[in-house]
Amino acid sequence: MSTQLDTEVTRAVVSERLDHDRLVAAAEGLVPLIRATAREAEIARRPLDEVIDAVSASGLFALMVPESLGGHEADLDTFFEVSLILSRADASMGWLVAFYIEHCYWFCGFPEPFQRELFADRPYVLAPGSLSMAGGSANRVDGGYRLSGTWQWGTGIVHADWVMVGAMNTDENGTPAPQFFAVPRDEVEAVDTWFVAGMCSTGSYDLVIDDVFVPEGRTVDMIGLINGVSASQFHDGPLYRTPLTPILGFASALSVLGAAQGALDEYCAQTKAKIAANVQRAGGVMTNEGKPSVVAAAALTIEAAELLLRDVLRDVMEQRNAAAPDTRSGWLSRMAHAVFMCREAVQDIVSVTGAGGLRLESPIQRALRDITTGSNHIIFDRETRYADHGRTLLDQPIQSFMV
């Protein structure tokens, strides 16, 4: 039985709760700004302050935060649409916003008093989160832990309030156990190592923590989060019974799908303009511009990838943490497959753009770079995902615990 947080004590002073349609409309309202500033942010190698301010004002960061804590308590279908809309405009910003949103979901599994502390002033927290258990070490001391290490891929650190990192702990039996630790931003050093080919404007710097004390109340068992049981201790909504990894998978995959859809739209717009110009110059004769069979195959592949992800979405929302591990593994395998479908489709689109499509300022070229980078996220490790899916097909046990 869930122990609900006291609404009167914990609700932050915020605007009214937004439903699915209004959150989707808020995302659509951000598209012009995100699209117009995408190249500037890419050159800056970090998210722009004006974009983060605009997303904050829109209310989207509180999408997954429980209503009892002042948030909108929207479900995965809303998260899906919002992330996809933003990612069509710019994959980096779609990625960043999606990660900020779902990291608030992670915090909903931390101890109850800490949740009240986090959301006391506003109904969201901006925080990077690292799943890597190898980045550092946590040594148990009186009242908590001493935490040290360096973690990569700190997406969101530029505007962060808090930081979440993983490290191995030992339980009461001396058995190694993965755990998440929450640390205030001012106790974390951000090291700018973000010199990458794609997803440049996420500003995903390294995170360095040097012998910082973390109270016991700012930690949570990683396995509980992964299995979708930590947050359900405190919050009754179906969202809080959802395993962590498919949420992370959607946050990453929708950025790739959105980038692919954006690249396709941009290619079609550019090619239609070329065709119109050629028709006018040639006196009414339309030339065979744009390799239509190539772009048609790419469009169908991207459409199939979206349908695959939407099918996984329906399945996750129906089963939540009642799904068996092999079912959850299958969700992630299908997500990974959709991501690689998008990557191959955009590679084909780029192959028929001509030399102009190779310019760094081209939205199509940026989409290719972002997709290539995003598809390398560990959640989509193709060999691991496909191997486990094959084991399931052959009635063999899966090997990855990250499901």
Side-chain angles (χ1 to χ4, degrees), residues 158-296:
V158 174
H159 293 91
D161 312 306
W162 287 81
V163 169
M164 281 185 292
V165 295
M168 295 302 295
N169 177 32
T170 54
D171 62 20
E172 60 275 12
N173 299 317
T175 304
Q179 196 147 345
F180 276 130
F181 300 82
V183 181
R185 170 62 183 88
D186 59 8
E187 296 184 2
V188 179
E189 179 186 2
V191 181
D192 183 4
T193 55
W194 199 237
F195 298 90
V196 290
M199 293 291 182
C200 298
S201 55
T202 61
S204 301
Y205 306 164
D206 285 3
L207 312 172
V208 178
I209 298 175
D210 184 14
D211 194 30
V212 169
F213 174 70
V214 182
E216 183 76 40
R218 293 180 182 174
T219 70
V220 66
D221 169 53
M222 179 181 176
I223 301 302
L225 278 181
I226 288 177
N227 289 332
V229 298
S230 294
S232 64
Q233 299 176 79
F234 311 114
H235 309 291
D236 279 337
L239 172 67
Y240 308 108
R241 292 185 285 102
T242 309
L244 182 149
T245 45
I247 298 178
L248 172 59
F250 282 126
S252 308
L254 292 169
S255 301
V256 172
L257 174 61
Q261 292 176 337
L264 177 63
D265 290 345
E266 180 68 23
Y267 175 83
C268 290
Q270 290 182 11
T271 303
K272 287 176 185 177
K274 290 178 183 178
I275 291 172
N278 286 340
V279 166
Q280 186 176 18
R281 287 196 300 267
V285 178
M286 180 179 291
T287 59
N288 185 24
E289 287 281 352
K291 311 288 189 198
S293 64
V294 173
V295 74

Side-chain angles (χ1 to χ4, degrees), residues 6-244:
D6 186 337
T7 300
E8 295 301 316
V9 172
T10 61
R11 182 181 296 283
V13 179
V14 294
S15 59
E16 61 185 311
R17 179 184 176 188
L18 303 181
D19 62 13
H20 173 90
D21 291 343
R22 294 179 67 185
L23 288 165
V24 169
E28 291 171 339
L30 291 166
V31 166
L33 173 64
I34 291 176
R35 182 175 287 134
T37 57
R39 178 58 178 157
E40 181 184 353
E42 182 180 42
I43 293 171
R45 297 183 303 104
R46 52 162 286 165
L48 302 182
D49 295 347
E50 63 180 301
V51 174
I52 298 300
D53 290 345
V55 181
S56 296
S58 76
L60 290 181
F61 287 139
L63 189 150
M64 285 187 172
V65 175
E67 187 176 9
S68 63
L69 293 170
H72 307 302
E73 201 166 321
D75 209 340
L76 285 180
D77 53 345
T78 306
F79 180 63
F80 189 107
E81 302 303 339
V82 164
S83 300
L84 187 54
I85 289 167
L86 300 180
S87 296
R88 288 192 196 109
D90 177 32
S92 284
M93 284 303 98
W95 180 284
L96 178 69
V97 173
F99 273 53
Y100 271 148
I101 291 171
E102 59 116 5
H103 289 167
C104 284
Y105 168 83
W106 296 18
F107 278 125
C108 292
F110 278 73
E112 199 173 79
F114 183 50
Q115 292 185 50
R116 291 195 180 99
E117 175 188 351
L118 281 173
F119 300 110
D121 297 324
R122 65 183 187 186
Y124 64 87
V125 176
L126 302 183
S130 175
L131 288 169
S132 173
M133 296 295 115
S137 60
N139 297 314
R140 189 183 291 274
V141 295
D142 186 32
Y145 303 85
R146 304 299 304 190
L147 183 66
S148 296
T150 299
W151 290 262
Q152 294 180 302
W153 326 119
T155 297
I157 186 60
V158 174
H159 293 91
D161 312 306
W162 287 81
V163 169
M164 281 185 292
V165 295
M168 295 302 295
N169 177 32
T170 54
D171 62 20
E172 60 275 12
N173 299 317
T175 304
Q179 196 147 345
F180 276 130
F181 300 82
V183 181
R185 170 62 183 88
D186 59 8
E187 296 184 2
V188 179
E189 179 186 2
V191 181
D192 183 4
T193 55
W194 199 237
F195 298 90
V196 290
M199 293 291 182
C200 298
S201 55
T202 61
S204 301
Y205 306 164
D206 285 3
L207 312 172
V208 178
I209 298 175
D210 184 14
D211 194 30
V212 169
F213 174 70
V214 182
E216 183 76 40
R218 293 180 182 174
T219 70
V220 66
D221 169 53
M222 179 181 176
I223 301 302
L225 278 181
I226 288 177
N227 289 332
V229 298
S230 294
S232 64
Q233 299 176 79
F234 311 114
H235 309 291
D236 279 337
L239 172 67
Y240 308 108
R241 292 185 285 102
T242 309
L244 182 149

